[in-house]
């Protein structure tokens, strides 16, 4: 009887402790360790401006989580991995990044990656159009240097803007890669979450790196103002992506428009598809690349375009308010210096706006540190006479002396630092200490302005972001000069690969067959 009882006890103990071979209790609860890093900016090499490190407002460590709603405590994504955030720097579009700024941010990133490894994965959040002094492929350089620290086996998922550039180096060192599918970028967070979910799924399933990565450079270089997904042919082109992505054996499919205002060999459109089924991956990539090429002649500006003179005639004749004019050539959301005074100079010359009783107009905006200091001294209601603009880009017009009444002062904005409204005739000019794009109604109402009841609103922007688009009653994009000139023929390209559409209109159809790239661990 004792022997039988002993046998039962031993059997129960063996059953309780029995687990699949190679597994123990800690293994069954172990989460993948995934690092987070990224440096993102859109940089025009046709602007004299340079971007310094402070413009990136870098988040370090856990502060990165606040940038993404899907990383909040308790969310599914947050619970599926042990996340190790390092450095995430995101800047407004601007001029080329100084080498010192770039090297400083890279050094901080690599140091944290070294200190906190090893990793199963890395979420790399970049824009894809960062230009750096002395480099031809900044993001390619960044990911190579990250790989030297984390190793070739770590699964890297890269999230990008569709106006980024995908060099062969960036594509090879990325295992999973995707970009936005909407312009304006209303799906930015959705795209980043997709990049992370793809990464988690591959780690959790044990499938790891995709077997195939198809990369197709498409020799098309167009501005975002011609390739919005709001209208055709961009709308239908991007609508083809799900039919490729949903194929068995495909992980993700993406189309990059590329960035038109930098002069580097990587500046052109790209199609990429990743997955485990060679046929579906290659045929899907070729389908999208050929579809892109076939509609190349159909791309037009997302809104009517005209000279500034013609735009103002239409705005003054319109009975709709607000009539929005996009001052496109110096658009800081595309990489312009933001301080070109040409358009404002033309506005101030017009007799229609000389009187306070003239048509109401808001101009947003112009940097003017000198005027800001003068305004802070005299306060709201005081008179000011000081210079503004053209401290960075004076190629088209010199600094302007603005003389008027201060109607508002606001301090503490992250980008502008200080904002001042100067009333000159019937024009309200928004002057900032540092450049700032004006995207939201609150940007105006916080300064005591009512854009919905203003006759004309002039903004330094290209296609309108959703809030301005919904606000407009009429709209035109003015072909003004600046570092992001929409007339690409006027830009002195020297380093992009030629032939390139639309610069070389009679070029033959390029080879759009899929190029299967090596995985990161296969690189020498």
């Amino acid at each position: 009887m004792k022997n039988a009882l002993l046998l039962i006890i031993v059997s129960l103990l063996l059953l309780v402790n029995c687990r699949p071979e190679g597994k123990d209790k800690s293994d069954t609860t172990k989460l993948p360790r995934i690092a987070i890093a990224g440096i993102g900016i859109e940089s025009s090499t046709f602007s004299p401006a340079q971007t310094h490190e402070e413009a990136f407002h870098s988040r370090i460590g856990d502060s990165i989580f606040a940038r993404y709603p899907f990383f909040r405590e308790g969310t599914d994504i947050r619970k599926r991995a042990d996340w190790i955030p390092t450095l995430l720097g995101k800047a407004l579009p601007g001029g080329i990044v100084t080498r010192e700024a770039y090297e400083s941010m890279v050094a901080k990133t690599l140091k944290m990656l070294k200190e906190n490894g090893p990793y199963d994965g890395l979420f790399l959040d970049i824009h894809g159009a960062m230009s750096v002094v002395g480099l031809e492929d900044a993001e390619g350089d960044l990911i190579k240097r990250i790989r030297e620290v984390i190793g070739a086996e770590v699964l890297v998922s890269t999230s990008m803007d569709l106006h980024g550039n995908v060099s062969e180096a960036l594509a090879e060192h990325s295992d999973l890669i995707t970009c936005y599918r909407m312009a304006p970028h209303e799906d930015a967070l959705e795209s980043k979450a997709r990049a992370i979910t793809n990464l988690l799924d591959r780690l959790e399933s044990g499938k790891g790196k995709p077997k195939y990565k198809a990369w197709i450079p498409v020799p098309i270089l167009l501005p975002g103002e011609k390739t919005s997904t709001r209208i055709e042919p961009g709308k239908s082109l991007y609508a083809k992506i799900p039919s490729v992505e949903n194929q068995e054996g495909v992980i993700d499919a993406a189309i990059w428009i590329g960035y038109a205002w930098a002069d580097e060999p990587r500046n052109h459109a790209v199609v990429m598809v990743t997955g485990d089924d060679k046929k579906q991956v290659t045929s899907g990539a070729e389908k999208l690349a050929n579809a892109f090429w076939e509609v190349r002649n159909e791309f037009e500006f997302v809104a009517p375009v005209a000279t500034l003179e013609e735009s103002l005639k239409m705005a003054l004749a319109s009975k709709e308010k607000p009539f929005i004019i996009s001052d496109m050539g110096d658009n800081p959301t595309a990489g312009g210096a933001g301080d070109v005074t040409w358009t404002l100079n033309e506005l101030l010359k017009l007799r229609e706006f000389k009187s306070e009783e003239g048509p109401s107009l808001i101009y947003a905006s112009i940097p003017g540190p000198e005027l800001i200091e003068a305004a802070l001294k005299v306060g709201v209601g005081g008179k000011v006479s000081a210079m503004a603009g053209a401290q960075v880009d004076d190629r088209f017009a010199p600094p302007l002396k603005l003389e008027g009444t201060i109607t508002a002062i606001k301090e503490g904005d992250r980008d502008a630092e200080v904002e001042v409204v100067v009333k000159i005739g019937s024009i309200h000019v928004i002057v900032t200490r540092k450049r700032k794009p004006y995207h939201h109604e609150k940007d105006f109402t916080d300064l005591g302005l009512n854009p919905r009841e203003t006759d004309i609103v002039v903004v330094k922007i290209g296609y309108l972001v959703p809030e301005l688009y919904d606000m407009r009653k009429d709209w035109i994009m003015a072909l003004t000069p600046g570092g992001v000139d929409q007339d690409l023929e006027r830009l002195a390209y020297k380093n992009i690969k030629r032939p390139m559409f639309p610069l070389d209109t009679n070029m033959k159809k390029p080879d759009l067959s899929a190029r299967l790239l090596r995985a990161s661990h296969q690189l020498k």
Side-chain angles (χ1 to χ4, degrees):
M1 185 68 178
K2 288 183 179 179
N3 289 338
L5 184 59
L6 182 61
L7 182 60
I8 292 170
I9 292 170
V10 171
S11 298
L12 287 171
L13 288 171
L14 288 172
L15 183 62
V16 169
N17 288 284
C18 181
R19 290 188 175 87
E21 184 178 351
K23 297 281 186 180
D24 60 22
K25 187 175 181 180
S26 62
D27 287 332
T28 61
T29 59
K30 185 179 179 183
L31 295 174
R33 301 188 80 250
I34 303 178
I36 305 169
I39 304 172
I41 186 176
E42 201 173 46
S43 319
S44 170
T45 62
F46 295 108
S47 167
Q50 290 196 331
T51 302
H52 301 274
E53 186 172 2
E54 61 270 18
F56 287 85
H57 302 282
S58 295
R59 294 175 181 263
I60 303 291
D62 287 351
S63 65
I64 289 174
F65 291 134
R67 189 174 177 89
Y68 309 96
F70 47 75
F71 272 137
R72 291 183 187 136
E73 287 288 353
T75 59
D76 179 65
I77 284 177
R78 184 70 178 267
K79 291 188 290 187
R80 288 172 66 182
D82 179 12
W83 299 99
I84 302 94
T86 60
L87 178 145
L88 184 70
K90 295 283 183 165
L92 284 174
I96 192 167
V97 180
T98 67
R99 191 60 175 266
E100 292 78 13
Y102 174 75
E103 293 296 341
S104 174
M105 289 184 288
V106 172
K108 292 172 185 174
T109 301
L110 299 182
K111 181 176 183 290
M112 285 183 279
L113 286 171
K114 286 177 183 176
E115 291 173 347
N116 295 288
Y119 309 98
D120 299 296
L122 167 72
F123 169 51
L124 184 63
D125 185 0
I126 59 177
H127 179 287
M130 173 170 60
S131 292
V132 175
V133 174
L135 294 176
E136 279 193 340
D137 178 13
E139 283 85 0
D141 177 78
L142 174 63
I143 197 168
K144 283 180 184 177
R145 291 167 71 175
I146 286 175
R147 279 288 186 196
E148 290 172 1
V149 172
I150 67 173
E153 300 295 333
V154 173
L155 196 63
V156 174
S157 184
T158 301
S159 171
M160 299 176 66
D161 190 303
L162 62 82
H163 296 123
N165 308 296
V166 187
S167 67
E168 192 167 350
L170 178 60
E172 285 188 321
H173 284 281
S174 298
D175 299 305
L176 304 166
I177 189 166
T178 193
C179 69
Y180 309 158
R181 296 171 182 174
M182 296 178 71
H185 308 316
E186 297 168 68
D187 67 331
L189 288 172
E190 177 187 333
S191 298
K192 295 176 196 295
R194 183 175 67 252
I196 293 169
T197 301
N198 286 342
L199 174 61
L200 289 166
D201 288 347
R202 298 296 289 193
L203 289 172
E204 291 168 353
S205 67
K207 292 180 179 178
K209 297 176 185 287
K211 292 180 181 178
Y212 302 102
K213 295 186 294 185
W215 176 76
I216 305 179
V218 183
I220 294 175
L221 192 60
L222 291 168
E225 283 68 24
K226 283 189 174 182
T227 52
S228 172
T229 59
R230 281 183 182 143
I231 62 170
E232 300 296 350
K235 185 176 181 179
S236 292
L237 176 63
Y238 275 81
K240 296 180 187 296
I241 291 175
S243 67
V244 174
E245 183 185 50
N246 293 336
Q247 295 286 327
E248 188 69 30
V250 173
I251 300 169
D252 192 87
I255 301 171
W256 284 261
I257 296 297
Y259 181 64
W261 294 293
D263 186 21
E264 297 167 353
R266 66 187 183 140
N267 289 92
H268 52 74
V270 162
V271 167
M272 275 197 76
V273 178
T274 55
D276 299 323
D277 185 305
K278 182 178 181 180
K279 181 180 178 182
Q280 299 291 15
V281 167
T282 55
S283 64
E286 290 169 0
K287 171 186 172 181
L288 295 177
N290 279 283
F292 197 169
W293 182 256
E294 291 304 316
V295 298
R296 68 193 182 282
N297 289 304
E298 298 175 29
F299 288 99
E300 296 178 347
F301 284 112
V302 67
V305 297
T307 64
L308 179 64
E309 182 181 7
E310 293 166 337
S311 299
L312 286 167
K313 283 181 181 178
M314 284 184 268
L316 289 166
S318 175
K319 297 187 185 302
E320 302 284 355
K321 63 172 70 171
F323 189 110
I324 297 182
I325 299 175
S326 293
D327 180 6
M328 290 199 292
D330 190 37
N331 172 13
T333 71
D339 79 334
V340 172
T341 58
W342 186 85
T343 297
L344 181 56
N345 186 47
E346 296 301 308
L347 290 171
L348 294 172
K349 289 178 184 177
L350 296 177
R351 60 178 176 78
E352 288 88 346
F353 304 112
K354 296 289 186 183
S355 165
E356 288 192 9
E357 306 306 316
S360 57
L361 185 146
I362 298 172
Y363 185 81
S365 61
I366 196 79
E370 180 184 322
L371 188 141
I372 292 291
E373 295 310 312
L376 290 172
K377 288 178 182 177
V378 301
V380 174
K383 301 289 185 180
V384 70
S385 176
M387 305 303 290
Q391 287 193 338
V392 175
D393 194 346
D394 63 356
R395 295 173 295 174
F396 311 101
L400 279 176
K401 176 173 279 190
L402 300 182
E403 297 180 294
T405 304
I406 306 301
T407 66
I409 298 174
K410 179 174 176 282
E411 300 184 65
D413 184 83
R414 193 192 83 154
D415 296 313
E417 293 186 355
V418 183
E419 300 162 277
V420 166
V421 179
V422 185
K423 180 80 178 296
I424 306 172
S426 63
I427 298 176
H428 285 91
V429 181
I430 301 176
V431 184
T432 59
R433 178 172 283 164
K434 293 185 177 179
R435 69 195 181 106
K436 173 189 173 178
Y438 283 74
H439 288 165
H440 307 291
E441 186 171 2
K442 195 172 186 295
D443 291 335
F444 299 93
T445 57
D446 281 353
L447 296 170
L449 302 172
N450 186 349
R452 291 183 184 273
E453 295 301 320
T454 300
D455 294 315
I456 305 169
V457 178
V458 181
V459 283
K460 284 180 179 281
I461 201 168
Y463 58 68
L464 297 183
V465 296
E467 197 165 331
L468 293 180
Y469 185 79
D470 292 340
M471 183 193 302
R472 93 224 179 284
K473 293 300 182 183
D474 207 344
W475 170 36
I476 195 157
M477 299 197 299
L479 293 167
T480 54
V484 289
D485 195 326
Q486 294 287 332
D487 185 352
L488 302 188
E489 298 284 351
R490 294 195 294 206
L491 301 178
Y493 290 108
K494 296 178 181 178
N495 300 309
I496 61 170
K497 294 178 180 177
R498 306 295 286 264
M500 182 73 69
F501 180 86
L503 302 175
D504 304 299
T505 53
N506 296 320
M507 63 184 289
K508 296 178 181 179
K509 182 176 180 178
D511 178 7
L512 297 177
S513 55
R515 307 180 192 185
L516 292 174
L517 301 182
R518 296 170 294 176
S520 56
H521 63 285
Q522 296 170 332
L523 301 172
K524 293 182 179 179

